[in-house]
Each structure stands twice: as C-alpha cells, then as structure tokens.
Amino acid sequence: MPSHCPARVQKNGRVRLSEASSPKFETKRVTATNLGGPIDLDKTLLSGQVFHWTRRADGSWSGLLGNEAVVVSEKNENLVLHQGPDDRVVRHFALDHPLEEIYAAFPEEPMSQSALAACRGMRILRQPRWECTAAFITSSMKQVAHIRSMSLAIRSRFGEAVDGSDINAYPPFEVLAKATVPALRECGLGYRAENLLKTARLLADGTIDLEAIAKQPTARLRQTLQMLPGVGVKVANCILLFAYERLDAVPIDTWIHRILLAMRKGRKGTPAQLAAYAHRRLGPYAGYVQQYLFHHARMAKRGAALNPASVFSVPFDSHAPARLALRANLRWSISKAPAFSIVVKTAGCGATSPREARHQK
DNA sequence: CAGGTC
DNA sequence: GCTGG
C-alpha cells in the first residue's frame, strides 16, 4: 500500500486535521441495509479493546487500520466512512456481527441486561493480530489511558508515518525485534518492555506465526498464545476475542472478576472455576457480554465519582421498566440508562454503597 | 491503584 | 515489580 510515499505529515504530529475532514474526501454512507447492522462508535472505541483512536471535536473518529488512515463518524446509528478502504473498514468494525442474535443470547440477569441497555450498538472489532497482541502485552496492571499512551509512544518512536494520518502505523514485529529494552522503556513500558521485545523476536524468527495459528481451535490457540512472553490466560483471552474473533472468549480482569463474584453472590472460586462459571452463565457470546459488563462498570464508576447516588444506590429491580421498554421497540436512544450496582453480598434488592462493597471484599 | 504474568 | 493518570 502507499505507505512509503514521502509523508506530508510532520513529526510534531500536528498535521492538517482540518484537511483530512475537508470535502475533498468523498463522504460515503454505509447503511444498515447493505452492510449490516448499526453501531455505537463512541462506545465501541472507548471500551478498552483498541487504544489508538482519537475523537475529534466534531464527534468523528480518526485512526489507523494497519497502514491506512481511517476517518469515520456515526449518523443515525450507522457508520459513516469519510476516509479509508470501505471493505476493510466494514470488516474491522464487524458490521456483520448479528447483534440482535447476540443480544438474545445475553443472560436474563440484571447486570448483563443493565449493561446491554447502556451499551447497545457497541461492537467487538476485528483487530490486526500483531497490534492487538502487542497492545495487550503492555496492558497488565495498567489503566486504559496509559495503555493508549504506550501505544502512541511506540508508534511515534518506531512506526512509519502514514499519509493522511496524524499518528504513525504500529511498527511490525520485525522492527520491534531490533529494538532495545531501554528504548522500549522510554515508551513507558516498565517491566513489560522485555516481554514485548521477546515476543517480537519469537515472531520475527518464525517460532510462532500469528496468521497460521488462526485455524487452531480456541483452547489450543489460547495455549499457543500463552507461549509468548507476557501473555497469560487473561491477555490470551483478550487476543482471542479481539483479534481472532473467538466471541466466546472471556478475559477475566479485576472488573469482570468482581462482577462474576457478584453474580455468584460472593461465592469465590479458583480462576478455572470462575472461567467455567463465566462460560456457563454468559452463554455462547460470553465475550460480547463480558465487554458490555466491563465497559458499563467502568462508565458507572466514572459517573459515580460525579454523582454517587445516581449510580450505586440503584437497586437491580429498578432497571426492569427501562429493560422492558427497550425490548418492546428496539430503539436505542438510551444513552443514559441506569448503571448496575457492584455488590459482593446482595441481601434482597437492597442498595449497597461502593465503599461497603469494597469492604466486603 | 491500575483490563496480570512468571 | 515499572510508572502515570
């Protein structure tokens, strides 16, 4: 692709954002009728599955798909493509995922239904394998915002400029394989630098081929991925879900861990037992359910900081009306659906404050 | 204290 | 055990 053209993009990255959105780029409208279902772009790109996209003042999003600049926005719940290769963009945003079928498979359980009501339209992307693998190797014990800053730092330092984009492409593993631990640490990786470097080298010398292993069944693929340094069971599940379209894979991080405990009314268990429970309880699209629960819980906490009463003192049952209204006429203009409470011990439908929940842990 | 790993 | 939002 044309990524070797001399970049019009300066190093300071402050390139003609206005030009990228100027009328010289034809605006194509991707409608639900010809290309699949609707999408909630904000929720999709803010849910911590991909980290380099930037929301602009006008609400559109700019990012990269491999080595190609992409600009998209949302209109009437449809994806609007302003710039980028349409076929690949549509595939990336997974507009063919059968959302209604997926929603029908969501568990009849208050937290899942609450998350569904709040996050309708959020899609799980089909991400490039290496970029996704690398991003989640750097993710351990990091906040989403910092994973993003590490990704951008690595792109800026090691990646190639992309015509029409203000950020660089993610460097191929062949490039990172030749990097050094100190250089990677300067991108903010800390102890993760060594893992990313070792993984890049394993891929560069052909020990593991991220494309070739895609045909492995999920359990085996998970084991294969865990051969990479820095990839444990949680990160492996993230890669399975976000880069190998294994929609039943359930990454269990601290958020999902707490939520699963709440679903089990506080009953603990080994990691394997919780994973088994998650698959039983969350169903065939467990990975989708997981992503909705994750994003909703994070947003609920953010809201709680602003207005604690509005989020955490809502009993589960109070969501029922909104839920029913939703199902009645599949409209999803609910951007302010009530959040669920995360409680470890639920006595009836009593509200539990976040502080109490924490103490009960 | 944070989307864990070894 | 690294490190920043």
Side-chain angles (χ1 to χ4, degrees), chain A residues 61-100:
Chain A
W61 286 88
S62 65
L64 289 176
L65 196 41
N67 287 348
E68 293 187 274
V70 174
V71 177
V72 290
S73 65
E74 182 195 323
K75 177 127 185 178
N76 299 328
E77 302 159 356
N78 288 320
L79 187 70
V80 181
L81 178 62
H82 299 269
Q83 182 188 352
D86 15 349
D87 47 347
R88 262 177 286 175
V89 170
V90 166
R91 177 165 174 74
H92 180 64
F93 284 97
L95 297 183
D96 56 318
H97 280 173
L99 280 194
E100 290 306 326

Side-chain angles (χ1 to χ4, degrees), chain A residues 265-278:
Chain A
K265 303 189 195 308
R267 193 166 58 89
K268 302 183 181 183
T270 67
Q273 286 173 325
L274 283 179
Y277 174 82

Side-chain angles (χ1 to χ4, degrees), chain A residues 122-140:
Chain A
M122 186 169 88
R123 287 175 183 272
I124 288 181
L125 304 171
R126 291 190 182 94
Q127 291 187 49
R129 265 104 199 207
W130 160 241
E131 288 185 31
C132 180
T133 301
F136 280 98
I137 283 175
T138 68
S139 76
S140 71

Side-chain angles (χ1 to χ4, degrees), chain A residues 161-188:
Chain A
V162 174
D163 205 17
S165 168
D166 50 340
I167 68 168
N168 290 350
Y170 201 89
F173 50 75
E174 294 91 339
V175 171
L176 281 196
K178 289 181 278 190
T180 64
V181 168
L184 285 170
R185 278 175 175 266
E186 285 174 19
C187 297

Side-chain angles (χ1 to χ4, degrees), chain A residues 3-276:
Chain A
S3 55
H4 300 308
C5 315
R8 302 179 291 127
V9 192
Q10 307 83 335
K11 306 295 184 186
N12 66 20
R14 197 98 4 117
V15 214
R16 319 154 190 148
L17 271 183
S18 55
E19 188 177 296
S21 58
S22 75
K24 100 179 201 184
F25 292 99
E26 188 182 349
T27 295
K28 299 172 213 169
R29 175 100 171 247
V30 181
T31 66
T33 47
N34 60 6
L35 286 166
I39 184 170
D40 187 319
L41 251 193
D42 288 354
K43 293 198 170 57
T44 299
L45 294 176
L46 288 170
S47 66
Q49 53 178 310
V50 65
F51 303 97
H52 74 273
W53 288 78
T54 301
R55 197 189 140 105
R56 302 147 132 196
D58 65 359
S60 65
W61 286 88
S62 65
L64 289 176
L65 196 41
N67 287 348
E68 293 187 274
V70 174
V71 177
V72 290
S73 65
E74 182 195 323
K75 177 127 185 178
N76 299 328
E77 302 159 356
N78 288 320
L79 187 70
V80 181
L81 178 62
H82 299 269
Q83 182 188 352
D86 15 349
D87 47 347
R88 262 177 286 175
V89 170
V90 166
R91 177 165 174 74
H92 180 64
F93 284 97
L95 297 183
D96 56 318
H97 280 173
L99 280 194
E100 290 306 326
E101 176 188 324
I102 292 169
Y103 294 162
F106 264 55
E108 291 287 338
E109 174 275 322
M111 290 192 282
S112 300
Q113 292 297 326
S114 222
L116 171 55
C119 300
R120 264 187 181 262
M122 186 169 88
R123 287 175 183 272
I124 288 181
L125 304 171
R126 291 190 182 94
Q127 291 187 49
R129 265 104 199 207
W130 160 241
E131 288 185 31
C132 180
T133 301
F136 280 98
I137 283 175
T138 68
S139 76
S140 71
M141 302 305 296
K142 279 295 176 191
Q143 288 188 124
V144 171
H146 193 222
I147 302 170
R148 170 186 173 84
S149 86
M150 289 185 287
S151 166
L152 295 179
I154 289 172
R155 290 168 183 275
S156 174
R157 173 143 185 175
F158 299 101
E160 275 192 28
V162 174
D163 205 17
S165 168
D166 50 340
I167 68 168
N168 290 350
Y170 201 89
F173 50 75
E174 294 91 339
V175 171
L176 281 196
K178 289 181 278 190
T180 64
V181 168
L184 285 170
R185 278 175 175 266
E186 285 174 19
C187 297
L189 298 202
Y191 65 82
R192 302 160 195 81
E194 197 171 347
N195 289 333
L196 185 58
L197 182 58
K198 284 180 177 171
T199 291
R201 289 180 174 162
L202 277 179
L203 299 178
D205 69 25
T207 303
I208 290 181
D209 182 340
L210 291 181
E211 298 306 320
I213 62 179
K215 56 177 180 292
Q216 295 181 355
T218 299
R220 184 155 127 75
L221 180 52
R222 183 182 296 109
Q223 288 188 317
T224 306
L225 290 170
Q226 287 186 231
M227 293 169 58
L228 300 171
V231 179
V233 60
K234 187 272 175 183
V235 169
N237 278 318
C238 286
I239 302 169
L240 285 171
L241 180 60
F242 301 134
Y244 288 90
E245 215 180 353
R246 309 303 165 97
L247 301 184
D248 57 332
V250 180
I252 301 180
D253 72 317
T254 54
W255 289 94
I256 299 300
H257 183 83
R258 291 196 294 259
I259 291 170
L260 289 175
L261 287 188
M263 283 185 187
R264 290 160 60 98
K265 303 189 195 308
R267 193 166 58 89
K268 302 183 181 183
T270 67
Q273 286 173 325
L274 283 179

